[in-house]
Amino acid sequence: MNKVFKALADPTRRRVLELLRQRPMTAGELSDQFAVSRPTMSAHFAVLREAELIDAHKQGVTITYRLKLSVLEDALLGFSSIFGIGVPDTGPAPTMSTVPAKERAP
Amino acid sequence: MNKVFKALADPTRRRVLELLRQRPMTAGELSDQFAVSRPTMSAHFAVLREAELIDAHKQGVTITYRLKLSVLEDALLGFSSIFGIGVPDTGPAPTMSTVPAKERAP
DNA sequence: TCCATATTTAGCTAATTATCGAAATATGGT
DNA sequence: ACCATATTTCGATAATTAGCTAAATATGGA
């Protein structure tokens, strides 16, 4: 949870997630959208991967990154629900530590 | 928007917001909940205020901080909507005025 | 095997951040 | 006027972060 919010604190990383929302993209494709060097982008990818907001798979020499929407969703909904944001106020107020990972349909 | 996410990146600040969800509290009251010095807490308050996530008003020698829920709400819902993360809109979203600081006598 | 390509790792610097103790400021009470 | 209290500001430091270039790694093709 903390790693997710840390990852979201940087606008470049938020934009990466936004791009990946449309479709999985390679590291190079993503890097082309930003005015920073590839090593810098690589570091951003590492932060997002560490937070499990994206995952990577290698096909030959390229690496394709994909958004793990469920992780983002869990963090945002979990945090929002603490404040009663966006959800009807049913039951006791959850805290950050008691908010369980949301069950996802298979 | 960026300032809000930067503010949310720190767990102490997230916890402050969570405490303020229940009721407005003074700087001292809030500081007592954490194992860091008062100057450090004061700096956290400044970051939250800069992001407009809280506001302050002074009564005598004490300063009471209050959550500005609508700002948090706008940021979270705004960002979530980019990803189509469904916050089921059942009825009006809660605002500051619907989450009173203190329960009034019926 | 050698070369080009995609990406990461290494090593560095500059900027930002979290933290502290000490001092300053503001207020209310005696 | 003086003192105690609540809080912030100041000044310093250590840790983290974002950024760079150069070098390393891995893969596929000629």
Side-chain angles (χ1 to χ4, degrees):
Chain A
M1 168 68 120
N2 191 38
K3 279 181 181 175
V4 170
F5 276 100
K6 283 259 205 279
L8 293 180
D10 185 277
T12 295
R13 289 193 292 263
R14 288 200 302 277
R15 180 78 184 128
V16 167
L17 296 179
E18 203 175 318
L19 289 169
L20 289 179
R21 174 191 147 262
Q22 301 162 38
R23 60 185 167 83
M25 292 175 78
T26 67
E29 260 181 311
L30 287 166
S31 296
D32 286 344
Q33 309 290 318
F34 299 88
V36 299
S37 71
R38 268 140 208 264
T40 296
M41 290 304 297
S42 184
H44 283 309
F45 300 150
V47 171
L48 290 169
R49 220 171 34 215
E50 185 64 26
E52 296 193 274
L53 285 166
I54 63 177
D55 60 12
H57 55 290
K58 199 167 187 172
Q59 303 145 351
V61 78
T62 72
I63 297 179
T64 298
Y65 286 110
R66 184 174 40 180
L67 177 64
K68 290 174 77 174
L69 186 59
S70 65
V71 174
L72 182 60
E73 199 171 70
D74 287 351
L76 292 175
L77 290 183
F79 185 69
S80 293
S81 74
I82 292 172
F83 297 91
I85 292 172
V87 293
D89 190 26
T90 55
T95 66
M96 247 180 297
S97 55
T98 59
V99 172
K102 188 185 167 196
E103 197 72 30
R104 262 193 90 60
Chain B
M1 169 71 135
N2 192 38
K3 279 181 181 174
V4 170
F5 275 101
K6 284 258 203 278
L8 293 179
D10 184 276
T12 295
R13 289 194 290 262
R14 287 199 303 276
R15 180 78 184 127
V16 166
L17 295 179
E18 200 176 321
L19 289 169
L20 290 180
R21 183 188 72 96
Q22 301 162 38
R23 59 184 168 83
M25 293 175 76
T26 67
E29 262 182 309
L30 287 166
S31 294
D32 287 345
Q33 309 289 320
F34 299 89
V36 299
S37 72
R38 268 140 207 266
T40 296
M41 289 304 297
S42 183
H44 283 309
F45 300 149
V47 171
L48 290 169
R49 221 172 33 216
E50 186 63 26
E52 294 192 276
L53 285 165
I54 63 177
D55 60 14
H57 55 289
K58 199 167 187 174
Q59 304 145 353
V61 79
T62 72
I63 296 177
T64 298
Y65 286 110
R66 183 176 41 179
L67 177 64
K68 289 174 77 172
L69 187 58
S70 63
V71 175
L72 181 61
E73 195 172 89
D74 287 350
L76 291 175
L77 292 183
F79 185 68
S80 294
S81 74
I82 292 173
F83 296 91
I85 290 175
V87 235
D89 190 26
T90 57
T95 65
M96 250 182 299
S97 58
T98 62
V99 184
K102 204 170 187 174
E103 197 70 31
R104 268 184 275 282

